[in-house]
Structures are given as C-alpha cells and as structure tokens.
Amino acid sequence: DTGVSQDPRHKITKRGQNVTFRCDPISEHNRLYWYRQTLGQGPEFLTYFQNEAQLEKSRLLSDRFSAERPKGSFSTLEIQRTEQGDSAMYLCASSATTYEQYFGPGTRLTVT
Amino acid sequence: GQNIDQPTEMTATEGAIVQINCTYQTSGFNGLFWYQQHAGEAPTFLSYNVLDGLEEKGRFSSFLSRSKGYSYLLLKELQMKDSASYLCAVRDGSSNTGKLIFGQGTTLQVKP
C-alpha cells in the first residue's frame, strides 16, 4: 500500500492557461474524491467517482473544470482558462467504503 | 444548509490537555471525523464517531452528541509535534457518496 499519490505537487501557471492534475488512488479503492482547500480553510468537496462513473459534482465545479477517471483507476482534474481565484491546494482522496478517506499530498496551484 | 464551526486558533502547553470543540448543522448526518493536518501536508485520519459517546485512541479521544450537534477532540500529554491544524468533518448523509463537509480547521500551537 503506497498511499494516494498526486502529481505534480506544485504548479505555477499564468492566468488563462490550462492545467491538469493527476491522482493515483490506493489500489482497489473504488471511491475517489477531489477537494479544494484554500489557505486557512478546510477542504471543500468538488467531485466524486465510484469506479469510472462521476456520480456527484459540486456547484463549485464550474464549466472550466472537468474530471475523469478512465477505467476506474487514476483520475485527472483539468482546469481550463485558469483564474487567480483558482489558486488553492487540490486534494485527492480515496476509500474502499464510505468510511475513512485517505488523502494524497495535494497539488498546490498558483495562478499568476 | 451546511455549517460546521470550530475555533480558529488555540494555544496549549507541552504536556497539558487540550479540547477542541466542533458544532455542526447539516442537512444529513452519517458520522463525524477528525483529521490532523500539518502545514503543507495532507489531512490524516484521527478518529470517527457515528454513535453518541466517547471514542478513545491512545492520547486522542473524540466525543459526539448527535442531539446537540456537538463533538470535541481531546488531546492528552501534548507534544510539540501535535502543533497542526485539526479538521472536524461531517459525512454528508443526504447522499450516498460519503463526501465530507469540513469545518475551517483549528490551528493548535503547542508551546514548551
């Protein structure tokens, strides 16, 4: 069990550029979550996958955001036309049940 | 609506006991979690309560009262490494995704 991994750990981009983050969950975890965390706040739910199906999206996830989980393994989160307000830590978590969620180290996005 | 409240900051002395409170008002409830998060790192699971009462786990204990919408995390024999943010999170019972709704976190500073 190597834990949840995320790549990259840090990303600096200019406003208007597109960025893509990757999350590799713990193997055999069929549930995968994306959260966003800004400084001094707790994580906020963005979206949920059960296997390859995206079953819930938060209203925070504007049409500039898209997430996928092909084949029910790794997941990607893409942000198009980034804005300064997108600067945050993007956390991925996985679980085998609705019980404990295991979080990855996060991708810190800075939009300049 | 969803609302989870916890103090923003607390300070305590090494070796002492500290209690971090959390109150919640959510449209559905399916368990309460406490996570620890060191600066720049992923949240790590500390405890889970779904029934009223106290759950003890080494130096950490967590209490839940569902009728009062109240929980606390008790940390005993504080160590310097306990300086971190402590996140209270409710598992949303209005959907079956298991998504977590987090409070803003309590930053605990342990002083010598």
Side-chain angles (χ1 to χ4, degrees), chain A residues 4-13 18-24 34-35 74-79 88-92 104-110, chain B residues 40:
Chain A
V4 179
S5 62
Q6 293 186 245
D7 184 69
R9 294 292 305 277
H10 303 273
K11 178 71 177 179
I12 300 174
T13 191
N18 299 344
V19 293
T20 300
F21 310 140
R22 177 180 170 123
C23 169
D24 285 90
W34 285 97
Y35 293 86
F74 70 92
S75 176
T76 59
L77 178 68
E78 181 183 15
I79 309 174
M89 175 77 86
Y90 290 83
L91 293 164
C92 175
T107 294
R108 181 167 294 285
L109 174 66
T110 302

Side-chain angles (χ1 to χ4, degrees), chain B residues 30-74:
Chain B
N30 197 11
L32 188 141
F33 294 77
W34 285 94
Y35 280 82
Q36 180 191 60
Q37 186 177 29
H38 285 98
E41 297 182 11
T44 55
F45 171 79
L46 288 178
S47 70
Y48 168 69
N49 296 71
V50 66
L51 299 176
D52 292 351
L54 188 69
E55 293 285 338
E56 297 187 82
K57 209 177 189 181
R59 294 189 300 115
F60 295 78
S61 303
S62 57
F63 172 82
L64 175 67
S65 169
R66 288 171 297 170
S67 62
K68 296 182 178 177
Y70 169 70
S71 173
Y72 68 73
L73 179 69
L74 194 71

Side-chain angles (χ1 to χ4, degrees), chain A residues 73-110:
Chain A
S73 56
F74 70 92
S75 176
T76 59
L77 178 68
E78 181 183 15
I79 309 174
Q80 296 183 326
R81 305 182 303 281
T82 51
E83 301 173 356
Q84 286 189 321
D86 297 331
S87 295
M89 175 77 86
Y90 290 83
L91 293 164
C92 175
S94 72
S95 70
T97 68
T98 56
Y99 180 53
E100 181 182 344
Q101 293 180 23
Y102 295 83
F103 283 83
T107 294
R108 181 167 294 285
L109 174 66
T110 302

Side-chain angles (χ1 to χ4, degrees), chain A residues 23 25-34 47-56 67-76 93-97, chain B residues 97:
Chain A
C23 169
I26 294 171
S27 59
E28 295 157 10
H29 278 191
N30 62 341
R31 295 170 177 260
L32 187 145
Y33 305 81
W34 285 97
T47 191
Y48 165 72
F49 288 87
Q50 185 161 331
N51 299 310
E52 68 276 7
Q54 187 175 22
L55 297 184
E56 186 169 344
E68 295 182 339
R69 192 183 183 198
K71 302 178 184 177
S73 56
F74 70 92
S75 176
T76 59
S94 72
S95 70
T97 68
Chain B
T97 64

